[in-house]
Amino acid sequence: MARSTGEDAQALFHSLRSAYAATPKNLKIIDLYVAFAVFTALIQVAYMAMVGSFPFNSFLSGILSCTGTAVLAVCLRIQVNKENKEFKDLPPERAYADFVLCNLVLHLVIMNFLG
Amino acid sequence: MARSPLILVALISLIPLLCHSFSPETPTGRRILVLVDDLAVKSSQSLYFKSLSSRGYELDFKLADDPKIALQRYGQYLYDGLVLFCPTVERFGGSIDQAAILDFVDSGHDLIIAADVQSSDLIREIATECGADFDEDPAAMVIDHINYAVSENEGDHTVIASDNLIKSDVILGSSKIEAPVLFQGIGHSLNPANSLVFKVLSASPATYSANPKSKLSSPPALTGSAISLVSVMQARNNARILISGSLSMFSNRFFRSGVQKAQSSTKHEKSGNEQFLTEISKWVFHERGHLKAVNVKHHKVGEEDEPAVYRIKDDLEYSVEIYEWSGSSWEPYVADDVQVQFYMMSPYVLKTLTSDKKGVYSTSFKVPDVYGVFQFKVEYEKLGYTTLSLSKQIPVRPFKHNEYERFIPAAYPYYGAAFSMMVGFFLFSFVHLYSK
Amino acid sequence: MSASETAGERTVRHAFGNVLAFFILLLIGVLAFSIRLFSVIKYESVIHEFDPYFNYRVTQFLTKNGIYDFWNWFDDRTWYPLGRVIGGTVYPGLTLTAGTLWWVLNSLNIPLSVETVCVFTAPTFSAFASWATYFLTKEVKGPGAGLAAAALLGMVPSYISRSVAGSYDNEAVAIFALIFTFYLYIKTLNTGSLFYATFNAISYFYMVCSWGGYTFIINLIPMHVLLCIVTGRYSSRLYIAYAPLVVLGTLLAALVPVVGFNAVMTSEHFASFLVFIIIHVVALVYYIKGILSPRMFKVAVTLVLSVGIAVCCAVIAILIAVVASSPTKGWSGRSLSLLDPTYASKYIPIIASVSEHQPPTWPSYFMDINVLAFLVPAGIIACFLPLSDASSFVVLYIVTSVYFSGVMVRLMLVLAPAACIMSGIALSEAFDTLTGSIKFQLLGYSSVNSQAAAGDASPDSTSAQSNALKPDKSEETAKERTSKKSKKKEKEREKEKEQVDQSSVQPRAGRRLQVLPLEASIIGVFLLILLGAFYVVHCVWAAAEAYSAPSIVLTSQTQDGGLHVFDDFREAYAWLRHNTEVDDKVASWWDYGYQTTAMANRTVIVDNNTWNNTHIATVGTAMSSPEKAAWEIFNSLDVKYVLVVFGGLVGYPSDDINKFLWMVRIGGGVFPHIKEPDYLRDGQYRIDSQATPTMLNSLMYKLSYYRFVETDGKGFDRVRRTEIGKKYFKLTHFDEVFTTHHWMVRIYKLRPPKNRIRGKAKKSKSKTSSASTSKRTAKIKKNPWQ
């Protein structure tokens, strides 16, 4: 039973890796960006667990900037992904422009909330 | 002495003296109306009156039922003090009555009342309005079979020698009264809940109040140390009233006589009456114990102007000047128990002010961490002194949004994270746009 | 050819339709603005009620001192001696909006005063709100429904009640923000564009700035997302609509000082975070499903389930423990009383005592949304045919708002836009079907023509719908302008439009051959228009008669038909302003706090913000105590004047004696020596001769009825309809300083402490004292104002 689940798990990982390797390069760049944001968020949570949440607004703005960046990048990925049928009419420049706008607003608010 | 031309002249001569009358700048007024039952009192209490007039008071003697006496005329008071040596008067003459006398006191003037045996209801009523309850039996006198004054004839022990004096240098002067005080008259009691009256000369535990000529049918109502022989009241507007149960203690006879208490062997040449009554009259007429507080100032440490609002955790300094009237001029008041409160429904800061011996009291403290509308409160109530009640309102605001620390060291990782996100976004957009 | 012909005609029709829609919208805006002006016409341009006076005062401060001082304002003239940090406890949206409007107008050299701007802010924003409703409903169903809904919202009495000219309160701006936020959310959901998602977050920020009811949005949208996921309608557009909103929205909400960290710490926001996590899980699942083969996917599912379930349970258990440790489970009092309607009356009497927080009665539904109550169920059904994301959202919106409006009368306001949207959809669908049937019956198109035009059916259908409905809509909007004349014209206009608009029938006929007999359709159209007429008449009546009273000025009819004005409140505040020192403190019940600070400019002890229950309970205890105890309490708060409102002479029912039991309850909640049964005789609240001694000795009774017997000799109280119990009495610790013309406001001053304290002996009644007492009575001052 355990072995079959272990074998299943291995088979799962193989198929996942092979399927993922098939994704286009620009999507992989976006995924890397998302991973970077999430990783920063986790570092901050670990730091807060150690030190305590004293300047809570700074903590919140740091965490939410990472989360926001990740979410917006995922939205960009959805819109740029050529396999997505709903967005085939959307020019990628438009998607990117929206992404920039949203990030601008996000960072403006973060800067305001940070200090 | 109720001759109209004399009165007219007296009144006219009083008008230019209005400027010297009682005022907050000079608390000791000079014109005193003395109402007597009988003009013989003027000569039998002459030593007492001489002590008053030698200090500069102008005494105006009138009979109590003189139809021309008046305390005020066209809204202005004609006298600064009133002495009632008329224990048996039923009704005052002229425009004076109980309400007029009480209004006189309520407008800040001083009063000396002496009751005695067979004092009238009017005098008792006035005394009750001032807080002293005389014995209801008009014929009762204070009798003490242990502390009476020894005399040639075996009296009925109604002349008592008392030395239960209040301990206050302000009221009774700095020199100790060695000899006991002779007293013959009626006693009164004070309500212990009344915070404005206090006993100056109280009776010993063996005293009781009863009619000396009749047998006691029931236990006396007033007994022991609860009986007060002479008391004073200081009203909320700092008018002072002296209530004495004996008119004869003011007399020359008691002033000059020697005294020996029944149970002791020391014989004093002169009774303590003159010293006692002279000193206490000085206090009643505001020659001692009258304070004024001026020039309340507060400001932030390092600044000079008074701000309209403080911020929490500010440092501030508070100062006030207190002077005492010496009878002729204002002298700096020196004490070490004046306190200031920083008060908002309860005192958040309570500090004793330090005096610089020239009348300026100051202190400094930090505004507490609570915001609201505070008051600087000085409530100074010392026995024998006028009450000082100052309060100044000042709001205290919390921090403005930009008065916090700008960069908190503990938050540097968060700053770093946010900036790294921005840099990452910038780099990513380059890569995204220019990669194939 | 015929195709190009129809193409050209179609563009013309399209353009014509758009222009018509634009003009109709303009007219709706004007309608919404002008129907709210009744109070200005009937009374004067004055700020109404109580809360708007506070907002007005804050706006005055803002315009005078600038935003920097406003943001940090510490108000020391209210809640004496605690003060109030205005910057951190007020929702700044309304004030900033009106301030900006004033500043813009003034820089354009239009010198409107701040008061005018404040009074007319609400009608302006109600016009914007109807336009926002048009956009929202257009996203759900189409422009026809949009116009119908906008017209309905412009007039719905429930919204009018909170946004007449003069009602300068948060809801005036907040309802516009609510609808606009929903519109942007639906737009994002429909288009999947991040652009609209950004604006959605910004509009949500505006809503958070404006009203505490923003928690409705942040709970409704997650509920809808969850509903979509559960019904299998997950799509990536849903993710784009929801995820950025949560992140940006939380950040922006935390920026507003009133909300601050509550945006992440209170239970009202937890739903959004929970659904945020859920949607990420679902997105991940769909993504993996997309890249794996089905067999591997099953393996993945079993693996994840076995491991993940345990982790999930642990996390949820921790979360529940954290939340349950706080006594209110992290919800604020007001929100809890929404979920459990009996909560407030049991635990927080202050919330229960506000009249706006009571549950509504059935007639109030009919009064407030009138005919829409019938149309809403039809609209719900219409939303299901077909069900789209947007229409499921609107259905959810109406269901939740119906529930909440049943809890608190005040939330009928949130129901109003939902009801209008639903009714607009219902009306437009009904008109669609009926007019379609009429055209089909009259013109009898065969199915051949339907094929030719089928290709361009979809772009046409919207314009066709709007064309078909425009005549009706214009008739409806023109209804309240002209009276019955247009009803005759409508049928002719319909026939005209039928010639022009040929291909409109086909999509209908092609989709569903739902044709009704001609006569039934005509009668149906006629009846629907009649329904609309009733609605319009009712709305105008409600706006004119029921909801335009400023409540600071009262009127009544005199016997010869004239109007008698009761301006007692302003008289009293003006007296206070001119006859007392600047620093004097005035104590009254909290209802009048805002008006006193705004109009009389004096420091008050408690006001309508009701944030400190203990302070209010102190004032309540003082009002319920005998004179001496009340004097002590007021003296400890440095109060100089006490103000009571008394309606017994003129019959004004909202006076302090009617509110007195609430004072007792609130005071008794904090100070146990005040017990409510002491003031009731056999469970009944009375002030006549059968009243309890505690009641007759209370300060409120004495201050209300002092010298009342002098008015008519018997002391008949017109509100309680009985003669008062204690008629002749004197006040020992208070002096009456002012009573207004109709005795509605009475102001008393605290007597300073007595100079001498009497001894205990009783006063003797002798000849001398009688002479002195006669002199004393001659000196008693009479109140120079009566």
Side-chain angles (χ1 to χ4, degrees):
Chain A
M1 199 46 197
R3 205 175 306 140
S4 72
T5 46
E7 281 170 8
D8 278 341
Q10 285 211 350
L12 182 66
F13 278 132
H14 275 295
S15 64
L16 268 178
R17 203 181 297 166
S18 58
Y20 188 68
T23 57
K25 182 154 159 254
N26 55 347
L27 292 186
K28 281 205 192 129
I29 294 177
I30 299 183
D31 288 338
L32 192 63
Y33 184 50
V34 171
F36 159 65
V38 171
F39 174 65
T40 320
L42 287 175
I43 292 184
Q44 286 179 79
V45 170
Y47 177 73
M48 194 247 346
M50 281 196 304
V51 171
S53 68
F54 159 53
F56 193 60
N57 57 330
S58 312
F59 165 66
L60 258 190
S61 86
I63 286 279
L64 285 175
S65 79
C66 298
T67 324
T69 315
V71 162
L72 290 177
V74 171
C75 291
L76 180 67
R77 187 188 199 277
I78 290 174
Q79 290 183 330
V80 165
N81 196 353
K82 297 200 182 33
E83 291 165 23
N84 231 330
K85 301 214 191 20
E86 290 170 353
F87 290 105
K88 67 174 160 47
D89 297 332
L90 190 67
E93 288 78 21
R94 170 72 199 270
Y96 179 68
D98 289 344
F99 171 71
V100 166
L101 175 71
C102 211
N103 261 316
L104 269 176
V105 172
L106 175 72
H107 284 113
L108 195 68
V109 176
I110 292 284
M111 281 301 120
N112 198 354
F113 198 50
L114 197 55
Chain B
M1 287 270 274
R3 281 175 217 138
S4 27
L6 210 59
I7 293 171
L8 202 59
V9 166
L11 286 175
I12 290 174
S13 64
L14 282 170
I15 291 171
L17 294 173
L18 278 173
C19 51
H20 293 290
S21 61
F22 180 93
S23 71
E25 285 311 307
T26 55
T28 304
R30 296 181 46 211
R31 310 160 299 165
I32 299 185
L33 175 65
V34 183
L35 294 180
V36 292
D37 276 337
D38 171 0
L39 290 170
V41 167
K42 185 173 173 197
S43 53
S44 68
Q45 328 282 50
S46 65
L47 279 178
Y48 176 66
F49 291 131
K50 195 153 75 103
S51 75
L52 285 179
S53 53
S54 68
R55 292 206 303 276
Y57 294 102
E58 297 180 6
L59 305 172
D60 195 8
F61 293 91
K62 294 276 181 294
L63 279 180
D65 45 13
D66 187 335
K68 300 223 181 56
I69 50 177
L71 277 176
Q72 57 169 333
R73 203 172 140 94
Y74 305 131
Q76 295 266 31
Y77 278 108
L78 303 166
Y79 302 99
D80 305 312
L82 180 61
V83 175
L84 295 177
F85 277 177
C86 45
T88 57
V89 66
E90 293 286 336
R91 196 193 174 113
F92 287 106
S95 64
I96 300 185
D97 62 351
Q98 177 186 342
I101 293 179
L102 294 173
D103 281 342
F104 184 71
V105 170
D106 285 340
S107 57
H109 301 95
D110 310 313
L111 177 65
I112 297 182
I113 302 184
D116 210 331
V117 180
Q118 301 293 352
S119 52
S120 67
D121 280 342
L122 180 58
I123 295 290
R124 283 166 195 276
E125 193 52 41
I126 296 177
T128 308
E129 284 290 334
C130 301
D133 296 313
F134 280 106
D135 196 342
E136 284 170 5
D137 184 356
M141 289 178 75
V142 178
I143 304 174
D144 192 337
H145 295 295
I146 299 179
N147 294 317
Y148 60 91
V150 169
S151 63
E152 303 81 36
N153 49 338
E154 185 67 28
D156 46 9
H157 300 168
T158 54
V159 178
I160 53 180
S162 165
D163 51 9
N164 301 319
L165 295 165
I166 192 174
K167 290 188 185 30
S168 167
D169 281 352
V170 185
I171 302 183
L172 293 178
S174 40
S175 52
K176 185 166 155 30
I177 301 177
E178 297 292 338
V181 175
L182 289 171
F183 183 91
Q184 181 183 31
I186 59 175
H188 55 271
S189 67
L190 303 175
N191 184 358
N194 191 338
S195 55
L196 302 175
V197 293
F198 38 93
K199 294 187 235 179
V200 176
L201 183 71
S202 51
S204 72
T207 319
Y208 64 96
S209 167
N211 190 344
K213 296 190 181 47
S214 66
K215 260 193 169 38
L216 273 182
S217 54
S218 57
L222 291 175
T223 55
S225 317
I227 298 181
S228 169
L229 305 174
V230 178
S231 21
V232 293
M233 177 180 103
Q234 181 166 265
R236 288 207 170 98
N237 61 353
N238 295 323
R240 290 171 175 169
I241 303 176
L242 174 77
I243 303 169
S244 162
S246 159
L247 183 56
S248 42
M249 78 186 286
F250 291 88
S251 64
N252 294 353
R253 183 168 66 94
F254 277 34
F255 273 27
R256 291 195 189 110
S257 86
V259 65
Q260 181 188 8
K261 268 173 89 158
Q263 305 293 337
S264 77
S265 55
T266 41
K267 188 168 169 30
H268 301 267
E269 282 298 320
K270 194 164 143 63
S271 68
N273 286 37
E274 180 164 17
Q275 185 185 2
F276 169 66
L277 290 172
T278 311
E279 293 297 322
I280 204 171
S281 307
K282 280 191 195 161
W283 182 86
V284 168
F285 291 122
H286 292 269
E287 287 177 49
R288 265 202 308 261
H290 187 96
L291 301 174
K292 81 167 174 181
V294 292
N295 265 343
V296 172
K297 283 202 284 249
H298 61 90
H299 56 91
K300 267 202 257 207
V301 170
E303 291 177 8
E304 281 303 317
D305 310 323
E306 220 172 78
V309 63
Y310 281 113
R311 202 201 62 202
I312 59 175
K313 300 205 194 134
D314 265 348
D315 292 304
L316 59 82
E317 286 176 359
Y318 175 83
S319 71
V320 64
E321 293 173 20
I322 305 183
Y323 296 103
E324 185 182 0
W325 179 247
S326 67
S328 51
S329 64
W330 290 103
E331 303 294 320
Y333 174 65
V334 178
D336 58 355
D337 54 357
V338 185
Q339 289 181 322
V340 67
Q341 304 173 6
F342 200 52
Y343 180 88
M344 176 172 82
M345 295 200 293
S346 68
Y348 280 81
V349 174
L350 182 66
K351 287 205 87 151
T352 308
L353 295 168
T354 49
S355 145
D356 68 345
K357 307 283 184 284
K358 288 202 207 56
V360 178
Y361 289 79
S362 62
T363 185
S364 74
F365 54 88
K366 203 180 180 63
V367 175
D369 199 2
V370 178
Y371 59 81
V373 182
F374 282 87
Q375 292 176 346
F376 288 107
K377 257 191 160 150
V378 173
E379 303 267 347
Y380 189 63
E381 285 174 34
K382 200 161 167 179
L383 181 66
Y385 286 97
T386 54
T387 45
L388 289 180
S389 186
L390 310 167
S391 100
K392 202 153 185 174
Q393 181 176 309
I394 186 93
V396 171
R397 67 167 172 83
F399 282 115
K400 286 198 176 143
H401 71 273
N402 61 348
E403 282 173 349
Y404 293 98
E405 282 178 63
R406 189 75 188 93
F407 296 111
I408 303 177
Y412 281 162
Y414 306 124
Y415 302 153
F419 280 108
S420 77
M421 282 294 123
M422 280 168 57
V423 168
F425 163 67
F426 194 61
L427 291 176
F428 163 74
S429 49
F430 265 124
V431 171
H432 176 79
L433 284 176
Y434 292 114
S435 75
K436 208 30 223 89
Chain C
M1 294 301 296
S2 64
S4 61
E5 207 171 58
T6 43
E9 279 173 4
R10 229 177 302 118
T11 42
V12 168
R13 232 180 298 123
H14 206 79
F16 181 68
N18 278 346
V19 171
L20 198 57
F22 176 72
F23 272 112
I24 290 180
L25 268 183
L26 210 60
L27 283 177
I28 290 177
V30 172
L31 164 72
F33 185 86
S34 40
I35 201 175
R36 285 162 170 78
L37 295 182
F38 276 104
S39 64
V40 174
I41 296 170
K42 286 174 76 171
Y43 299 88
E44 58 183 289
S45 165
V46 75
I47 306 231
H48 298 189
E49 301 272 323
F50 302 111
D51 279 359
Y53 272 99
F54 170 70
N55 294 325
Y56 172 55
R57 180 166 164 254
V58 175
T59 316
Q60 272 180 318
F61 185 87
L62 172 66
T63 51
K64 200 159 35 150
N65 298 41
I67 186 166
Y68 184 69
D69 278 340
F70 161 73
W71 205 252
N72 289 307
W73 187 17
F74 173 67
D75 190 7
D76 56 340
R77 291 185 75 79
T78 174
W79 292 94
Y80 181 83
L82 306 167
R84 179 181 172 186
V85 180
I86 299 273
T89 58
V90 82
Y91 280 100
L94 176 71
T95 325
L96 288 175
T97 309
T100 315
L101 217 55
W102 176 87
W103 182 80
V104 164
L105 286 173
N106 264 5
S107 55
L108 290 174
N109 282 327
I110 306 174
L112 288 181
S113 72
V114 178
E115 184 176 14
T116 316
V117 171
C118 289
V119 164
F120 288 101
T121 300
T124 318
F125 273 82
S126 61
F128 296 157
S130 9
W131 294 341
T133 314
Y134 163 73
F135 285 115
L136 175 57
T137 322
K138 187 164 90 134
E139 284 302 310
V140 178
K141 263 300 172 183
L147 286 173
L152 291 175
L153 186 79
M155 290 189 288
V156 66
S158 157
Y159 186 32
I160 289 183
S161 72
R162 301 292 301 194
S163 65
V164 280
S167 173
Y168 181 58
D169 208 353
N170 287 341
E171 289 93 348
V173 175
I175 295 294
F176 161 67
L178 181 84
I179 302 176
F180 198 60
T181 310
F182 285 154
Y183 158 62
L184 286 171
Y185 172 67
I186 298 289
K187 186 92 180 166
T188 319
L189 200 53
N190 280 347
T191 60
S193 150
L194 208 53
F195 175 71
Y196 284 110
T198 316
F199 278 102
N200 189 16
I202 294 179
S203 168
Y204 171 67
F205 172 55
Y206 185 50
M207 178 71 189
V208 173
C209 280
S210 308
W211 197 29
Y214 75 90
T215 50
F216 183 62
I217 298 186
I218 203 64
N219 282 310
L220 183 64
I221 292 184
M223 250 200 277
H224 175 244
V225 169
L226 207 56
L227 184 71
C228 282
I229 293 177
V230 162
T231 54
R233 300 183 67 90
Y234 171 79
S235 65
S236 43
R237 287 174 290 120
L238 191 68
Y239 181 84
I240 295 181
Y242 183 65
L245 173 68
V246 168
V247 177
L248 267 179
T250 311
L251 260 179
L252 288 167
L255 270 186
V256 180
V258 184
V259 176
F261 296 148
N262 286 346
V264 291
M265 306 238 277
T266 52
S267 298
E268 282 131 358
H269 292 86
F270 278 174
S272 59
F273 298 136
L274 194 65
V275 176
F276 186 66
I277 297 176
I278 291 179
I279 202 175
H280 274 95
V281 169
V282 170
L284 198 63
V285 165
Y286 271 95
Y287 172 68
I288 293 190
K289 193 174 184 180
I291 62 172
L292 286 183
S293 63
R295 188 186 67 89
M296 294 311 307
F297 183 62
K298 252 193 233 151
V299 169
V301 165
T302 45
L303 197 65
V304 164
L305 276 182
S306 53
V307 173
I309 287 271
V311 175
C312 254
C313 289
V315 168
I316 290 180
I318 294 176
L319 200 66
I320 289 181
V322 163
V323 165
S325 60
S326 77
T328 59
K329 318 276 183 287
W331 292 84
S332 74
R334 289 189 194 200
S335 308
L336 258 183
S337 63
L338 277 183
L339 293 179
D340 172 17
T342 59
Y343 177 77
S345 51
K346 276 188 282 186
Y347 297 109
I348 314 179
I350 284 225
I351 296 182
S353 75
V354 180
S355 65
E356 297 171 324
H357 293 177
Q358 309 299 330
T361 54
W362 278 113
S364 68
Y365 274 97
F366 196 69
M367 169 73 165
D368 273 349
I369 54 174
N370 204 255
V371 154
L372 308 183
F374 309 133
L375 292 174
V376 159
I380 296 181
I381 294 178
C383 278
F384 279 98
L385 332 157
L387 187 68
S388 66
D389 289 338
S391 54
S392 71
F393 176 74
V394 188
V395 169
L396 194 64
Y397 178 24
I398 186 102
V399 167
T400 47
S401 55
V402 164
Y403 170 71
F404 285 125
S405 71
V407 175
M408 256 194 209
V409 149
R410 192 174 183 186
L411 294 180
M412 291 276 296
L413 184 60
V414 176
L415 173 64
C420 292
I421 296 172
M422 280 300 168
S423 319
I425 293 176
L427 271 181
S428 98
E429 288 294 305
F431 272 117
D432 237 9
T433 318
L434 292 172
T435 51
S437 316
I438 292 176
K439 282 182 198 116
F440 188 77
Q441 299 281 14
L442 283 184
L443 303 175
Y445 273 93
S446 62
S447 55
V448 176
N449 280 343
S450 73
Q451 295 293 341
D456 43 29
S458 42
D460 257 4
S461 61
T462 45
S463 63
Q465 266 183 4
S466 46
N467 266 342
L469 295 163
K470 296 290 183 312
D472 309 309
K473 287 306 130 251
S474 63
E475 265 123 27
E476 197 177 276
T477 50
K479 199 77 195 147
E480 66 278 359
R481 311 220 158 242
T482 66
S483 43
K484 306 273 187 180
K485 293 190 289 178
S486 57
K487 258 210 294 194
K488 292 176 201 142
K489 285 195 211 152
E490 72 203 1
K491 281 199 209 143
E492 296 158 18
R493 259 189 248 170
E494 268 178 28
K495 297 253 179 39
E496 280 172 31
K497 292 289 181 277
E498 282 155 19
Q499 316 298 345
V500 177
D501 158 316
Q502 296 181 12
S503 57
S504 61
V505 173
Q506 275 76 12
R508 296 257 160 258
R511 246 198 332 221
R512 225 183 351 257
L513 213 56
Q514 195 183 47
V515 171
L516 303 167
L518 180 64
E519 297 79 16
S521 313
I522 292 180
I523 292 177
V525 168
F526 175 67
L527 285 178
L528 277 179
I529 292 178
L530 205 58
L531 198 68
F534 279 134
Y535 175 69
V536 169
V537 166
H538 171 85
C539 292
V540 173
W541 171 83
E545 298 299 324
Y547 288 136
S548 290
S551 93
I552 189 155
V553 173
L554 307 162
T555 57
S556 74
Q557 299 277 345
T558 56
Q559 278 164 348
D560 49 0
L563 202 66
H564 187 83
V565 174
F566 298 86
D567 210 1
D568 285 39
F569 286 103
R570 293 198 286 182
E571 189 186 339
Y573 297 133
W575 186 92
L576 270 179
R577 195 184 192 119
H578 290 118
N579 291 297
T580 58
E581 305 288 321
V582 174
D583 268 339
D584 283 344
K585 281 90 185 160
V586 179
S588 68
W589 192 233
W590 57 260
D591 284 349
Y592 316 107
Y594 280 157
Q595 283 183 343
T596 312
T597 25
M599 282 199 273
N601 198 24
R602 292 289 172 265
T603 313
V604 292
I605 307 291
V606 287
D607 69 14
N608 308 53
N609 194 28
T610 65
W611 66 269
N612 190 329
N613 197 30
T614 312
H615 223 52
I616 297 183
T618 312
V619 175
T621 310
M623 294 293 191
S624 325
S625 312
E627 263 191 85
K628 184 158 164 45
W631 187 94
E632 299 283 334
I633 296 178
F634 281 139
N635 201 33
S636 73
L637 290 171
D638 297 330
V639 169
K640 215 50 179 310
Y641 293 93
V642 178
L643 184 145
V644 294
V645 169
F646 172 62
L649 184 67
V650 293
Y652 173 62
S654 314
D655 64 352
D656 281 354
I657 286 281
N658 270 357
K659 295 179 196 163
F660 181 57
L661 272 187
W662 284 112
M663 298 186 200
V664 172
R665 279 179 203 141
I666 295 175
V670 177
F671 299 97
H673 66 267
I674 303 280
K675 298 193 248 306
E676 191 182 339
D678 287 344
Y679 296 85
L680 305 172
R681 167 79 67 187
D682 302 329
Q684 270 204 352
Y685 177 54
R686 309 174 75 118
I687 46 96
D688 52 9
S689 51
Q690 293 293 316
T692 57
T694 329
M695 178 72 211
L696 293 176
N697 273 329
S698 63
L699 185 71
M700 180 51 68
Y701 179 91
K702 287 196 168 170
L703 294 187
S704 294
Y705 293 116
Y706 178 61
R707 291 191 317 112
F708 184 52
V709 70
E710 292 172 17
T711 54
D712 61 350
K714 285 187 287 141
F716 183 74
D717 183 341
R718 289 211 181 124
V719 177
R720 268 62 61 175
R721 306 213 157 273
T722 135
E723 287 187 19
I724 59 179
K726 190 150 75 163
K727 300 189 189 181
Y728 300 95
F729 56 89
K730 286 213 186 52
L731 294 175
T732 55
H733 287 81
F734 293 86
D735 289 322
E736 180 185 7
V737 288
F738 186 64
T739 297
T740 56
H741 187 71
H742 301 98
W743 286 56
M744 276 172 62
V745 182
R746 311 192 68 182
I747 304 180
Y748 293 84
K749 188 172 174 166
L750 257 69
R751 267 192 215 167
K754 283 214 270 275
N755 195 27
R756 294 166 282 106
I757 301 182
R758 249 187 82 84
K760 288 206 269 214
K762 305 245 186 322
K763 269 203 180 117
S764 62
K765 306 247 190 282
S766 64
K767 314 185 281 238
T768 49
S769 56
S770 63
S772 49
T773 46
S774 65
K775 267 213 181 129
R776 221 174 295 153
T777 48
K779 284 196 226 153
I780 290 178
K781 296 197 189 78
K782 289 182 78 73
N783 182 359
W785 292 96
Q786 281 297 329

